[in-house]
């Protein structure tokens, strides 16, 4: 069995959506509650670490049996260098495990068993795994130039467009060797793990509300 630990970055000082990760999202549960319950179906709680700048949420984290890591508030700002953030949190975990970095802001992604199956059979040519969502649209850049098609009646239909993928910011798995070189979520040779779930980047309050509606619909369908 490979040595894999899970990190949940859990800051509480979001600017655009106050307390985004812990405010009620669905049936009184927060985004963190939902992600915690999803992860517990695939992981031992002692292998999960939550990192936050707020010591007051330690009881919430430990209620799930997770480990709590208190990080400097300076590592929560928008100007924080990602490699410094990743290294600081990873260094707080004993030993030298591989790491799964898991965001709570994609509540519809819950395929951790599938992700683990890929991880345990990962070819050596890959140094990381990144959850992605395929983009099936005709895309323009900011100047109106086509990115993945050409203007004209001969343009390819959406089903025949080149495969482009959006980083879902749902989960990443980083092998230890890659971590110690880059301290970043994605390596030079990532395996792209495509999800079919509808995903939304929760950045503004409208995104939060739309994501809640999607999640409610998803739960009815199960």
């Amino acid at each position: 069995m490979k040595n894999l630990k899970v990190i949940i970055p859990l800051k509480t000082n979001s600017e655009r959506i106050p307390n985004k990760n812990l405010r009620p999202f669905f049936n009184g549960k927060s985004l963190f509650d939902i992600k915690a319950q999803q992860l517990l179906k695939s992981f031992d709680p002692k292998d999960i670490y939550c990192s936050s700048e707020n010591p007051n949420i330690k009881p919430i984290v430990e209620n799930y049996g997770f480990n709590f890591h208190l990080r400097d508030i300076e590592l929560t700002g928008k100007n924080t260098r990602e490699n410094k953030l990743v290294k600081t949190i990873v260094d707080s975990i004993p030993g030298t495990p591989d790491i799964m970095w898991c965001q709570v802001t994609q509540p519809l992604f819950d395929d951790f068993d599938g992700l683990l199956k890929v991880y345990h059979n990962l070819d050596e040519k890959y140094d990381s795994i990144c959850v992605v969502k395929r983009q099936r649209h005709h895309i323009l850049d900011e100047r109106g130039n086509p990115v993945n098609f050409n203007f004209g009646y001969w343009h390819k239909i959406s089903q025949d467009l080149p495969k482009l993928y959006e980083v879902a910011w749902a989960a990443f798995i980083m092998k230890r060797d890659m971590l110690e070189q880059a301290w970043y979520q994605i390596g030079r040779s990532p395996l792209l793990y495509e999800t079919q779930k509808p995903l939304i980047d929760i950045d503004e309050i409208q995104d939060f509300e739309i994501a809640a509606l999607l999640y409610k619909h998803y739960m009815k369908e199960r």
Side-chain angles (χ1 to χ4, degrees):
M1 178 68 69
K2 296 182 180 180
N3 185 15
L4 180 69
K5 305 296 183 184
V6 179
I7 287 175
I8 303 175
L10 195 64
K11 72 175 187 176
T12 63
N13 60 349
S14 302
E15 296 178 1
R16 287 181 290 271
I17 308 176
N19 204 30
K20 174 172 67 175
N21 296 327
L22 294 170
R23 65 191 292 157
F25 178 76
F26 174 77
N27 283 354
K29 296 179 181 179
S30 68
L31 290 169
F32 170 67
D33 290 322
I34 290 169
K35 193 58 60 181
Q37 291 168 10
Q38 291 171 348
L39 286 167
L40 285 173
K41 295 177 182 178
S42 304
F43 292 90
D44 190 307
K46 72 178 186 327
D47 290 329
I48 301 175
Y49 293 74
C50 293
S51 176
S52 177
E53 83 293 348
N54 187 349
N56 295 325
I57 71 167
K58 183 177 180 181
I60 298 174
V61 169
E62 292 183 341
N63 183 57
Y64 284 101
F66 300 164
N67 303 280
F68 178 76
H69 169 251
L70 182 64
R71 59 172 137 142
D72 196 304
I73 195 169
E74 293 182 357
L75 292 176
T76 63
K78 58 184 178 182
N79 295 321
T80 300
R81 292 179 58 179
E82 200 70 18
N83 60 338
K84 184 176 181 181
L85 171 65
V86 172
K87 186 176 190 306
T88 299
I89 299 176
V90 171
D91 281 349
S92 71
I93 298 176
T96 55
D98 292 344
I99 296 293
M100 187 175 86
W101 188 275
C102 183
Q103 305 281 137
V104 306
T105 48
Q106 290 291 5
L108 286 168
F109 180 79
D110 60 358
D111 188 17
F112 294 107
D113 283 346
L115 196 57
L116 283 174
K117 183 177 180 180
V118 169
Y119 165 70
H120 287 300
N121 295 282
L122 190 63
D123 191 289
E124 288 297 319
K125 68 181 180 181
Y126 298 112
D127 61 8
S128 52
I129 304 173
C130 177
V131 176
V132 297
K133 181 74 175 179
R134 185 177 175 186
Q135 290 297 320
R136 301 177 182 272
H137 307 288
H138 296 84
I139 299 174
L140 303 176
D141 67 17
E142 61 183 4
R143 296 183 179 180
N145 300 311
V147 173
N148 60 341
F149 71 105
N150 293 311
F151 287 143
Y153 65 86
W154 54 82
H155 78 256
K156 293 182 181 296
I157 62 175
S158 59
Q159 293 92 330
D160 294 333
L161 289 173
K163 292 184 179 181
L164 294 177
Y165 296 94
E166 174 188 358
V167 177
W169 291 98
F172 309 86
I173 294 182
M174 304 101 84
K175 292 168 70 172
R176 191 71 197 190
D177 288 347
M178 166 264 171
L179 265 177
E180 294 182 357
Q181 293 178 42
W183 300 110
Y184 191 69
Q185 290 93 339
I186 308 172
R188 291 186 177 89
S189 303
L191 181 146
L192 304 185
Y193 187 86
E194 185 177 354
T195 178
Q196 302 300 322
K197 296 290 179 63
L199 304 178
I200 182 168
D201 184 22
I202 303 178
D203 198 38
E204 304 286 349
I205 190 64
Q206 294 89 343
D207 304 325
F208 187 92
E209 293 168 351
I210 293 170
L213 290 172
L214 281 173
Y215 187 78
K216 181 179 179 180
H217 175 74
Y218 169 71
M219 293 303 291
K220 284 183 178 179
E221 292 294 313
R222 297 189 65 175

